[in-house]
Amino acid sequence: MNKNTSGKFFVGSIIAIVALFGLVLIILNNMQSLGKNAVEPESMDAEAVAERIKPVAEVNVGEPPVVEAPAAEETEVASSGGRGEQIVNQVCATCHGSGLMQSPKLGNASDWAPRIEKGIETLYNNAINGFNMMPAKGGRADLSDDEVKAAVDYMIETAQ
């Protein structure tokens, strides 16, 4: 090898080694900072483990426990304002709270007025079957038609 090129090769090799060493230091430093932000694992003592793996439901062997039905007055209250409000807060408010995708905002009479003019049955039908970008039943197929109607009634009440 020529003496002139071997010197350049040596200097280039040293620079490459220093650059790689610097890169490794940067990576290790970032790894250390990630380790400092790590979450502590949950406790493994027997009581904590038993609590985490506890079944969601209970199995009853023998006669099932007696559960009293709510009074008729309580059922009416729960099915009208209370249940409707609960569904609106859990499901409908995602879009209707902010007017997402041009949906009528909760409590905004001017947004709801043209829709209310079309009639309550049209509002029920659109809420149950979907309309424009709104999915049927607000995307919650597990809701009954009566629950969706209660939610529509609640939204109309807040708009008037």
Side-chain angles (χ1 to χ4, degrees):
M1 241 189 192
N2 188 350
K3 188 176 184 180
N4 192 14
T5 57
S6 65
K8 289 181 183 179
F9 179 75
F10 180 72
V11 171
S13 299
I14 295 295
I15 291 174
I17 290 171
V18 169
L20 284 174
F21 183 73
L23 184 63
V24 168
L25 284 177
I26 291 171
I27 291 172
L28 289 176
N29 190 22
N30 285 336
M31 298 286 277
Q32 272 187 326
S33 66
L34 287 175
K36 290 177 184 174
N37 296 331
V39 177
E40 289 289 323
E42 293 185 19
S43 174
M44 293 303 290
D45 50 333
E47 291 173 8
V49 171
E51 180 66 27
R52 284 196 302 272
I53 64 172
K54 177 174 70 172
V56 175
E58 293 181 8
V59 176
N60 292 315
V61 178
E63 201 170 305
V66 176
V67 179
E68 292 184 27
E73 294 174 12
E74 293 176 12
T75 305
E76 289 176 20
V77 170
S79 65
S80 60
R83 182 67 178 146
E85 181 179 7
Q86 182 183 19
I87 293 169
V88 168
N89 290 335
Q90 291 176 350
V91 180
C92 309
T94 304
C95 296
H96 289 282
S98 63
L100 190 66
M101 296 184 284
Q102 300 167 345
S103 63
K105 291 182 184 178
L106 290 172
N108 188 329
S110 62
D111 284 355
W112 283 96
R115 290 160 175 89
I116 293 172
E117 287 176 7
K118 293 180 182 178
I120 192 71
E121 288 303 319
T122 303
L123 286 171
Y124 288 156
N125 185 43
N126 291 344
I128 292 169
N129 299 316
F131 184 73
N132 289 338
M133 289 190 253
M134 180 181 153
K137 297 182 180 182
R140 286 276 307 270
D142 61 316
L143 293 175
S144 70
D145 289 355
D146 290 334
E147 289 174 318
V148 174
K149 288 178 181 180
V152 170
D153 291 339
Y154 176 76
M155 287 193 278
I156 290 172
E157 286 176 22
T158 62
Q160 294 176 343

